[in-house]
Amino acid sequence: MFLQVRPKNIQPLLEATTKVAKEYITKILGTDKDEHVVEKLITNTNRIGKRLSPFWEQLEEWETLRNQLLDASYNFIETMIEDAGETFDSISWLIDFQTIAYLAEREGVTYINDDLLKGLKITKDYRKRLNKMFKITPDLKQMKEAKILKQNLSQFYKVTKKFRKLTKWIVKVILQLMIPDGIENMGSNNCNAESKGVNLIRTDDGASFLAVCDAEWLVVAQRFDGSVNFTRYYEDYSIGFGDPPSEYFIGLDNFVSAASQDIYMLRFELTTWENETRTADYLRFDATPLDYADVYYYSPSWYSLRIRNFRGTAGNSLNYRVKYDYIDGRYMYVGFTNTGKCFKEEIGWWWGYCGKANLFGRYNHGPECDKAMDCMSWQAWPDQLLNEKDNKFYSFKAMRIMIRPLPIEAPPKCIKGVANEFNAAQRSDNDNKLLAKCEGQWLVVAHRFDGSIDFNRTWNEYKAGFGNISGEFFIGLQALFRLTLRNTFMVRFEMINNSGIMIYLENDGFTISDEHDRFRFSVHDFLENRRNGSFAYMPNTRFSTWDNDNNHDISCVQQTGGPFWHSHSADKCDTTWPSYIFGQFKFKDMKMMIKLVKTPCGERKSGINDIHPLGGSSFKAKCEENWLMVAHRFDGSVDFYRTWAEYKTGFGDPSGEYFIGLNNLLSLFTGDRNYVLRLEFTTWDGRSETAEYYVFRLGLTQRETAIRLEDFRGSGKDVMSSSHHYHYSQGQVDDNPFSTWDNEYEYAMTNCSALRRGAWWWYRPERGSEIYNERGVDMEDQDYCGFTNPFGRYMNESKCDIEYGCMSWLGWPGELFSEAERKANKDLHNGWYSFKEMKFLIRPREPNWPWPWP
C-alpha cells in the first residue's frame, strides 16, 4: 500500500519520495549506474511537483466551466430543442457521473499515471460527446460557454498528455526501486534488538518510510523541542511530516501499514519538565485504514484506533469512560479526526468524546498551558502535576508514540503419551516453582484431589497462583493471561466423582483477559462445547473472589461458596459444575487443563506443513511464512474446471498446483475467528500485485460457503469487496456462496462458472456498476459474475481467448497490455489478460477483536 493523498497534496508526497530516494543513494547504492538512475528519479519527481499546482488549478477551472455549460444547455434544451432533450440528458449524465468519479479518486505516487490516463480518456470522450451535441443542436455550438469549454478541453488534453509522458517514466522507475534485503538497519519491515537511529522501514504491503528505531520499538511520532508544527490539515496527517531524527510523525497510512503486519503493542512515552518518564502500554491495538470509507454507514471511522489491555505507569488517557484504568471488559475504539469539534485549530488526534489526551497539541516550552487540553497533554497522569490546576492544563516536555510486535509467551510443550511435570512460571513469594504439569498434550493449570489446600483465597493470591505441582495448586490468573494473549488454546474441566465416574467439558478458543478486564474468561462460542454427563457451559464472564466480587448485583462467591468466573440472572447465581474446582470440595478429583492449538503456519516454517484445524481433520498444505496457501497455480498442470464434489474435497498436491478443498477451508473458521485473505497475481514479465482483505469470513449463514470480504488493503485495486461498511460483527454477511459449473447458486441469473470457465464466489462487488461504467459497458451487457477469476482457464500466454474467461483479475493497478496492443485492438482491456501465477493465501486476523462492538 503506497501513500495516498488528494491531488492538492501530492507535492509533500513527492518530497517524501525524494527523501527516501536520497537515503537510498546514501546508504545502499553500490554502483554509479544505480546512483544515476535514482538521481534522475529525484530530478523528474521535482519537475512533476513544480508543474502540479497549475495543473490542478486548471482542472478546477475546467470543472467550473463544465457546470456552467450544463446549466446553460439545460435551459437551452428546455426552450429550443425539446426533441433532443433525451439524447442530451443521457450524454450529460455520463459526463457528470464520470467527472464525479474521477475527482473523487485519491491520488498517490503509483496512481498518478493511471489517473492521468483516465483523464485523457474522459477528455476524449467529452470532445466526442460535445461534437455529437453540436451536430444534434447546431445553435448550441454558438454558445459562449460551449466555445470556452471546447478550447479548455483541448488545452487540458495537451497538458495531461505531457504529464502522462513524464509520470509514465517516473512510475516505472519507482516500481523498479527495490531496496535489497539483508542490508543492516535498512529496508526491514520491523525494528529489531540491534536497531538504533534512523532506519528505512518497508512494510509487507509496500509502504516505505524513514523512522527512528529504539531497539525493537518503531517510533511512530516524537516531540521534544517544538521545532515541528503539529497543527496541520487532515491530509498532512495521512502522509506524515517532519524529518527523523528530529520531530516527526510517520503518517496515518504508514502507521496502519506497519501495524497490519503482526500483533503489535502500542506505547505512549511521556516526559515531564522534571525529566520523569512514564509509559502507557496497550498490549493489543490496531488501526483501520482510510480506504473506501462510507460517510453514512462506515464504522469504525477513518483511521480508527482500537485498543485493549492497558498497563503502565502514566495512566490510561485513551479510555474515554469515567474511570481511566478500567475498560469495562471490552475494547475502546475511536476515529482520528481534526474537524474542529474539540478545538478551533486543526489539531489531529484520536479524540473520542474530546478525550483526555492531546499529544499532537501545541508545544508550550513550559509546563503550564493557558488553555485546558490545548497543549501536549495527557490528563490521566496519576499524580498532580500543577499546584493549583488540573492535569489537563499540563504541557509535557517530550513524548514518543511507539509500536513493537507483541512478544509471544511460549507455553510448555506437552507431548501426547508423556506425563512430565514442568515449571511453567515462577512464583515470587518463595523458591518453589509452580505452577503447571503435563498430562499427555494437556497442560494442567489447576488440580484438586485431597482438599489439602484452601482455595477460598484473595484476589492477589489468585492473580499470582498458589500451591505446588506435587500437590494441589492453581497456576494463577496472570500466568493464564500471558499464555493466552498470543496463543490459541482449548480448555477442559474434568471431574471424577466418588463412584469413579469421570465427566468433562471442553471449549475451543480459550483466552483470559488482563486484570483491567478482571481476568475475563472467554471462549469462541460457549454453547459449542464437547461434554458428557449433565448439561454444563462456561459463560464469558469476569473472575470473582470474596474480596473482589465482580458480580455487582449479587455476591456469587458467597452464594456458591468459592471464587470462579460466576454468572448470574436476576438475584440468582448460575451454578455450573466446573465452578466446584475453586469452591466446595465435592468431587474425588478436579482439574482445569488447557491444550495448545497450533495456528495454521503459526511456526512460520515455509514449505509443506501438516495443518491441524480445530473444526476438522488434519491436512497438508504449503506455508509461506505465516501465510497458509489455500491454492497455488503457476504452470497449468492441474485443471481447475472441476465439479462441486472435487472442490469440496480438494485436488492437486501442495508440491505443485493444488486447492486444499472447501471442507478443509471451512474447518479453519471456528467460533468468531476472522482471517486475512491475500490474492497475489504475477504477470509473465515477473511483476506482482495483491488484493488483501482484512475481514474474510465463510459460513456465517445457512449457506456454509457464503463469503464476506471487507477492509481492503492490497497493492492493487479493490474489485471484490462485498461491503465497504466494515461490519466486524457476526450479524452482517453477504450471502454469496461458492459455485461450480454443476452447483450454481440457486438465485444466480447466470451460470458464471460455465461462462467464466472456472469456479468462485460469483457476485457483483460493491463497486460493480462503477467499474462497468468506467469501461462504457451498457446496462444490458453487465453481468453479476464480478471481476475476479483465480480458478479460470490457465493459458500459456498473456492473452485470453474469452473476456474474463482465464485466470484473470481486474484489480491490477495499471494497464497490462502495451499501448501498441491496445491501439491495435480497441476492445482490449485487463479483463482479457491471463496471469502466469496466482496464490490464494490466508492468515488469522490479529488481533482477532471480540464481538460485539462496545
Side-chain angles (χ1 to χ4, degrees), residues 364-417:
N364 195 51
H365 296 283
E368 186 172 338
C369 189
D370 57 355
K371 182 180 179 181
M373 301 301 297
D374 186 52
C375 300
M376 203 164 71
S377 308
W378 188 267
Q379 189 180 350
W381 188 276
D383 301 326
Q384 185 76 22
L385 291 166
L386 297 170
N387 290 330
E388 297 180 356
K389 288 187 176 181
D390 189 89
N391 284 351
K392 59 187 178 182
F393 287 93
Y394 190 85
S395 179
F396 283 86
K397 179 181 180 180
M399 78 86 186
R400 292 197 298 177
I401 302 174
M402 303 182 287
I403 63 174
R404 59 162 289 178
L406 184 64
I408 298 176
E409 183 91 8
K413 292 183 179 179
C414 294
I415 303 171
K416 186 176 182 179

Side-chain angles (χ1 to χ4, degrees), residues 32-316:
D32 293 338
K33 182 179 179 181
D34 288 339
E35 186 170 347
H36 175 72
V37 169
V38 179
E39 285 179 341
K40 192 173 181 182
L41 166 67
I42 294 172
T43 300
N44 282 281
T45 302
N46 291 333
R47 288 174 61 193
I48 289 181
K50 291 177 181 178
R51 297 181 183 181
L52 276 175
S53 181
F55 175 77
W56 295 118
E57 289 176 3
Q58 186 181 21
L59 180 60
E60 292 174 0
E61 180 184 354
W62 174 51
E63 169 69 2
T64 301
L65 287 168
R66 184 197 65 81
N67 289 331
Q68 291 176 355
L69 175 65
L70 287 175
D71 292 340
S73 57
Y74 277 133
N75 295 329
F76 182 80
I77 289 171
E78 185 175 338
T79 56
M80 298 183 62
I81 49 168
E82 293 183 1
D83 58 327
E86 183 178 349
T87 302
F88 181 81
D89 283 346
S90 62
I91 294 171
S92 62
W93 181 86
L94 284 171
I95 292 175
D96 189 52
F97 176 83
Q98 287 193 337
T99 303
I100 292 173
Y102 173 60
L103 293 175
E105 293 277 344
R106 290 197 312 278
E107 311 296 331
V109 168
T110 57
Y111 303 126
I112 293 174
N113 192 47
D114 288 344
D115 289 327
L116 289 177
L117 181 62
K118 186 187 295 183
L120 280 172
K121 182 179 181 301
I122 292 176
T123 307
K124 284 183 179 179
D125 290 342
Y126 280 15
R127 294 167 74 183
K128 288 180 182 179
R129 291 187 173 107
L130 276 175
N131 289 332
K132 186 175 180 179
M133 288 163 57
F134 293 155
K135 289 180 181 179
I136 296 172
T137 56
D139 291 339
L140 183 64
K141 190 175 182 180
Q142 306 304 318
M143 292 176 60
K144 178 182 178 182
E145 290 85 358
K147 291 180 179 180
I148 296 174
L149 179 63
K150 188 173 182 180
Q151 180 181 353
N152 277 271
L153 282 173
S154 299
Q155 185 180 0
F156 177 79
Y157 179 77
K158 292 177 182 178
V159 174
T160 307
K161 195 169 184 179
K162 289 180 181 178
F163 264 117
R164 193 202 164 221
K165 184 176 181 181
L166 182 63
T167 58
K168 184 178 180 181
W169 181 88
I170 192 170
V171 170
K172 181 180 178 181
V173 175
I174 289 174
L175 292 175
Q176 292 174 345
L177 187 61
M178 301 297 292
I179 299 175
D181 293 328
I183 303 298
E184 185 176 1
N185 294 329
M186 291 297 296
S188 61
N189 61 348
N190 279 311
C191 301
N192 54 59
E194 288 75 38
S195 299
K196 60 181 180 179
V198 178
N199 286 249
L200 180 58
I201 305 297
R202 297 180 64 234
T203 64
D204 289 341
D205 58 8
S208 298
F209 56 90
L210 298 175
V212 171
C213 287
D214 185 351
E216 295 177 320
W217 290 98
L218 169 64
V219 181
V220 173
Q222 64 179 17
R223 305 182 69 184
F224 48 84
D225 60 9
S227 58
V228 173
N229 181 19
F230 273 64
T231 303
R232 292 174 177 264
Y233 290 107
Y234 192 88
E235 289 82 358
D236 291 338
Y237 280 104
S238 294
I239 65 172
F241 48 85
D243 298 305
S246 65
E247 294 192 336
Y248 72 94
F249 174 51
I250 64 172
L252 292 163
D253 283 326
N254 291 327
F255 179 53
V256 169
S257 181
S260 299
Q261 301 176 110
D262 200 345
I263 306 180
Y264 281 77
M265 59 182 295
L266 173 66
R267 167 170 288 181
F268 296 90
E269 181 186 274
L270 304 153
T271 302
T272 67
W273 288 90
E274 291 74 28
N275 293 320
E276 180 185 4
T277 299
R278 297 186 184 184
T279 59
D281 292 345
Y282 299 88
L283 300 187
R284 296 188 195 183
F285 95 97
D286 75 350
T288 304
L290 174 66
D291 304 53
Y292 303 112
D294 187 312
V295 296
Y296 296 105
Y297 301 105
Y298 178 89
S299 178
S301 57
W302 294 351
Y303 299 114
S304 178
L305 183 69
R306 291 184 290 182
I307 54 174
R308 200 178 188 192
N309 302 131
F310 165 79
R311 71 179 185 189
T313 57
N316 183 8

